[in-house]
Amino acid sequence: MAKKGNRVQVILECTEHKESGMPGMSRYISTKNKKNTTERLELKKYNSVLKKVTVHKEIK
């Protein structure tokens, strides 16, 4: 039987795109270990609408 892990799926949303007021949104799905990283994730990912790498933060 498989173990129940501490890994959970999280959604990352672009912070710059939200502030720019442009239509649409840039979101990524990732996983994290909730036992080791209790704070929210912050990763640099590519935003195809803005055509550059921006900071994406975990949303609830």
Side-chain angles (χ1 to χ4, degrees):
M1 191 169 162
K3 280 188 185 178
K4 292 242 180 182
N6 290 319
R7 289 218 159 274
V8 291
Q9 272 193 343
V10 293
I11 300 171
L12 305 170
E13 188 174 57
C14 180
T15 55
E16 285 185 38
H17 194 132
K18 206 180 221 183
E19 294 167 0
S20 70
M22 292 179 73
M25 64 183 74
S26 174
R27 286 189 174 170
Y28 283 91
I29 296 177
S30 185
T31 59
K32 76 171 186 177
N33 187 325
K34 65 181 174 184
K35 202 171 194 178
N36 295 338
T37 52
T38 54
E39 65 276 351
R40 293 191 176 204
L41 273 184
E42 231 179 77
L43 298 174
K44 288 187 176 184
K45 303 291 258 177
Y46 182 73
N47 185 332
S48 60
V49 177
L50 299 177
K51 295 184 171 81
K52 62 180 181 177
V53 176
T54 59
V55 175
H56 285 63
K57 289 186 181 178
E58 179 183 336
I59 60 172
K60 192 127 189 175

